[in-house]
Amino acid sequence: TTRRRFSTSLPLFQQYSRRLLQDVESQFDGAVHLLLHRFGVLAHAPAVWRLVPLLQAQLPLMSPKQVALSAWALGRTLVNDDDAWVALGSRICSGVDDFTMADLAMFAWGLAAVDRAPPQ
């Protein structure tokens, strides 16, 4: 989903990203996983780091698929925030039966990308 000659260092992308993250809580309430995914696809870690607090706040309300997608985005951008990964791991462990095999595989991929041990 990236275009040729696109770079996250382009000034217009930087401006767009800053604007998007400025009002993230009001614009994407309950949908932080979608932003994490987009920035993950673009491998834009600075934006993902800024979204970590919102992820942690929304995590208890997320569906299993949203949790898995968020873990994938953190892994894709190599965001290894200990508190975020502990919270993600707790969410998986508290409802592992609700996660599909694809969700668990996506979560495991994120763990492996940042070289973290599976949650206990």
Side-chain angles (χ1 to χ4, degrees), residues 8-59:
T8 56
S9 64
L10 291 171
L12 192 55
F13 176 78
Q14 292 292 322
Q15 181 182 357
Y16 170 77
S17 182
R18 275 192 306 275
R19 176 63 182 102
L20 194 61
L21 293 171
Q22 182 180 354
D23 296 327
V24 69
E25 289 184 42
S26 62
Q27 297 295 327
F28 292 92
D29 185 37
V32 69
H33 65 286
L34 297 176
L35 277 180
L36 287 167
H37 178 261
R38 277 295 98 199
F39 285 122
V41 167
L42 296 171
H44 190 58
V48 174
W49 277 106
R50 291 207 34 211
L51 291 170
V52 165
L54 185 58
L55 165 65
Q56 290 176 287
Q58 291 184 7
L59 197 55

Side-chain angles (χ1 to χ4, degrees), residues 57-70:
Q58 291 184 7
L59 197 55
L61 305 173
M62 289 180 152
S63 73
K65 187 155 298 301
Q66 293 169 343
V67 171
L69 192 61
S70 299

